[in-house]
Amino acid sequence: DRLREAEVLLEAAKVLTSTLELEPLLKATTDKISELFELTDGAGMFLYDQASGELELIASFGYPHYEDQVSLSPGEGAPGTVFLLREPILATGADQVAQLYQSVQGEVRRHLNLFMNTHPLPSQSVICVPFIARDKVIGSLQLEHWKDQRTFTVEDLNLLMRLADLIAIAVDNGVLWRELGAKEDRHRVLVGQLIHAQEAERKRIARELHDDASQALTTVSIGLSSLDRTVPDALPELHTKISGLRDAVKDIMGRMRDLTFAIRPSMLDDLGLAAALKWYASRFSGLGTPNIELSLDDCGRCLDPLVATVLFRVAQEALTNIYTHAQAT
């Protein structure tokens, strides 16, 4: 018996450490338990859902596939009873099993009656144990036998209790893993939304700078040229001042183009990441910065716009840091 118990626990441990993904873990565990316990005609694994306050059937063996329809309240049926009492149950004989099912109500009772009426014998034996992890009951596991008049034994119950301790840890880890994945998914969505909002605002500011400020500076430049033509040649100093002002306006317009591109490069939207990086590197190299060598595989517009934007910002920040801090040549 001790050798068999050790073998069972070893087989179960292999399954329980095979994955952290909850659904495959539960399915594999339920199948393995039905294989390890000879009398198991049906097995059901329940987890407590805090939102609904119900025990949800999340994996089963030998029962009809109505997992999405079966939930029990704490205290209802064997799974609900062991969940509430934190104690295992061993029912031997049809009368004891029938007493367990008396507390099952509603739609679940209808499914249960339809299912059990297809058997030549009523259910003969049930063992059910709670899952306890971190000193908290998180669910329960039920095994059931109905094909003949044999019943589960106290030894079966003790072995299932030891298995339940291992299963509870694995299931709790699986739940935590799933919650962590959901949090990471939400975090990725929020980060994406934040970047999208930032880039939309950058695009709006860049467009206003290009359309409004550039147009105003162009008007000033045209006005200075017109003024220069009206100034008599006898006033060379005034011509020189006007020319200086035109050069200053031209310089401001060039800086504004660079600023507009830095805020949100239209080339990134129109021509893609590779073209935007080439243009930025060429502009950056003209400021007395180190020589920049580009090695780019131009995939055209194959990148998601958000990914392309993030990659451009990474390159932009990297070049700025090099220029500001590294003194690289």
Side-chain angles (χ1 to χ4, degrees):
D1 288 342
R2 289 182 178 179
L3 178 60
R4 175 180 176 270
E5 181 176 324
E7 290 175 347
V8 168
L9 293 174
L10 179 60
E11 287 294 315
K14 290 179 181 178
V15 174
L16 294 171
T17 56
S18 62
T19 179
L20 282 173
E21 297 293 339
L22 190 58
E23 284 72 16
L25 173 67
L26 296 173
K27 179 67 171 61
T29 302
T30 306
D31 291 345
K32 177 57 68 173
I33 287 174
S34 65
E35 175 187 320
L36 295 173
F37 289 81
E38 178 189 358
L39 294 186
T40 303
D41 298 322
M45 192 176 295
F46 294 79
L47 283 186
Y48 181 68
D49 180 34
Q50 290 186 341
S52 65
E54 299 281 311
L55 286 159
E56 307 287 347
L57 179 63
I58 52 173
S60 66
F61 169 84
Y63 296 118
H65 296 289
Y66 46 62
E67 285 90 341
D68 57 338
Q69 304 175 35
V70 174
S71 61
L72 298 172
S73 300
E76 189 176 8
T81 301
V82 301
F83 176 83
L84 201 62
L85 300 179
R86 301 171 64 105
E87 295 290 340
I89 285 177
L90 169 62
T92 57
D95 292 340
Q96 289 188 16
V97 175
Q99 289 179 358
L100 285 177
Y101 283 133
Q102 285 179 357
S103 59
V104 178
Q105 303 296 326
E107 189 69 11
V108 178
R109 183 57 180 262
R110 187 180 69 84
H111 284 300
L112 182 64
N113 290 338
L114 289 174
F115 179 59
M116 298 309 295
N117 287 338
T118 63
H119 300 154
L121 285 174
S123 183
Q124 297 296 304
S125 187
V126 166
I127 49 176
C128 191
V129 294
F131 292 141
I132 301 177
R134 292 180 292 169
D135 200 35
K136 180 176 67 175
V137 185
I138 63 173
S140 54
L141 170 65
Q142 173 178 294
L143 305 186
E144 189 169 0
H145 175 67
W146 57 71
K147 290 184 178 178
D148 56 42
Q149 293 184 336
R150 290 180 297 169
T151 62
F152 291 111
T153 64
V154 173
E155 287 75 16
D156 291 327
L157 178 62
N158 291 333
L159 179 56
L160 190 62
M161 288 173 61
R162 296 193 62 181
L163 273 175
D165 291 338
L166 298 177
I167 296 171
I169 295 172
V171 170
D172 189 47
N173 289 338
V175 171
L176 294 175
W177 178 259
R178 185 170 64 180
E179 291 175 352
L180 177 61
K183 289 180 180 178
E184 289 180 345
D185 290 340
R186 288 195 297 271
H187 182 258
R188 280 193 292 268
V189 170
L190 290 174
V191 169
Q193 291 174 344
L194 176 60
I195 293 175
H196 178 75
Q198 287 176 336
E199 292 302 323
E201 183 63 14
R202 286 172 177 262
K203 187 181 296 186
R204 183 189 66 79
I205 294 173
R207 185 173 58 249
E208 289 183 358
L209 282 174
H210 180 271
D211 295 344
D212 298 338
S214 295
Q215 183 177 353
L217 288 171
T218 300
T219 301
V220 171
S221 180
I222 293 173
L224 289 171
S225 297
S226 177
L227 178 63
D228 190 43
R229 288 193 297 269
T230 62
V231 173
D233 294 338
L235 299 172
E237 293 182 0
L238 189 54
H239 281 289
T240 302
K241 290 181 178 180
I242 293 173
S243 178
L245 288 173
R246 278 203 314 243
D247 291 342
V249 170
K250 183 178 179 181
D251 181 62
I252 292 172
M253 292 177 68
R255 293 184 181 182
M256 187 166 295
R257 281 194 299 269
D258 291 342
L259 178 60
T260 300
F261 185 89
I263 292 174
R264 176 66 191 184
S266 59
M267 192 177 296
L268 184 61
D269 299 317
D270 300 334
L271 301 178
L273 177 64
L277 287 176
K278 289 175 183 177
W279 191 92
Y280 186 71
S282 67
R283 298 291 294 173
F284 204 88
S285 298
L287 301 176
T289 58
N291 294 328
I292 299 173
E293 296 181 6
L294 292 177
S295 177
L296 298 173
D297 292 329
D298 190 354
C299 63
R301 305 303 300 277
C302 62
L303 288 177
D304 179 85
L306 180 60
V307 174
T309 297
V310 171
L311 292 176
F312 178 80
R313 295 301 179 198
V314 170
Q316 188 179 37
E317 185 68 15
L319 288 175
T320 301
N321 287 342
I322 289 168
Y323 176 69
T324 306
H325 304 294
Q327 288 85 45
T329 58

